[in-house]
Amino acid sequence: AFFNTAIIAGIQGAKKTSDLIPLCHPLALNSIDIDIREKDKTNVLITCTVETEGKTGVEMEALSGATVAALTIYDMCKAVDKSMTIGPIRLAEKQGGRSGHFINPEEPV
């Protein structure tokens, strides 16, 4: 239940990507899923999955969604620990768009 606010913020962040990133076109998104899991007592893993039927990739929307979710968690926890860090943020996988299918070699299997 604690992460619900961050999930909503991440969805909004993905939807507002074209307002935040210069030259990013607004896209009709079919779905946005934000998954937040505790890795251990001091770390969380945020995964944002975005889908569209358009001919372009939605990696910027996914990265924006994950980042806004992380910033929301920071905002909710900063009274406890202002030294928190956010990152690394990376694209794990992308399908579609001009560049085709991409799997980040740094992503654990």
Side-chain angles (χ1 to χ4, degrees), residues 17-39:
T17 299
S18 65
D19 293 334
L20 301 169
I21 308 295
L23 305 178
C24 222
H25 300 292
L27 301 174
L29 304 177
N30 290 11
S31 68
I32 304 166
D33 180 58
I34 308 279
D35 181 59
I36 304 174
R37 296 174 190 233
E38 293 182 47
K39 287 178 70 173

Side-chain angles (χ1 to χ4, degrees), residues 92-108:
E93 184 176 2
K94 174 189 168 302
Q95 295 181 23
R98 198 175 307 160
S99 62
H101 192 187
F102 169 80
I103 298 174
N104 192 325
E106 298 297 318
E107 191 62 22

Side-chain angles (χ1 to χ4, degrees), residues 1-11 33-39 43-49 65-74 76:
F2 175 77
F3 295 133
N4 288 342
T5 302
I7 290 169
I8 292 168
I11 291 168
D33 180 58
I34 308 279
D35 181 59
I36 304 174
R37 296 174 190 233
E38 293 182 47
K39 287 178 70 173
N43 292 286
V44 296
L45 175 65
I46 301 169
T47 304
C48 180
T49 305
T67 302
V68 171
L71 288 168
T72 302
I73 292 170
Y74 180 92
M76 293 188 296

Side-chain angles (χ1 to χ4, degrees), residues 37-95:
R37 296 174 190 233
E38 293 182 47
K39 287 178 70 173
D40 54 46
K41 290 185 183 232
T42 60
N43 292 286
V44 296
L45 175 65
I46 301 169
T47 304
C48 180
T49 305
V50 179
E51 294 180 3
T52 186
E53 289 180 17
K55 294 182 178 182
T56 186
V58 288
E59 65 270 28
M60 294 308 298
E61 288 74 10
L63 291 166
S64 294
T67 302
V68 171
L71 288 168
T72 302
I73 292 170
Y74 180 92
D75 186 46
M76 293 188 296
C77 297
K78 66 186 177 195
V80 176
D81 182 8
K82 287 182 180 39
S83 67
M84 290 178 289
T85 59
I86 295 172
I89 299 168
R90 65 177 174 263
L91 179 66
E93 184 176 2
K94 174 189 168 302
Q95 295 181 23

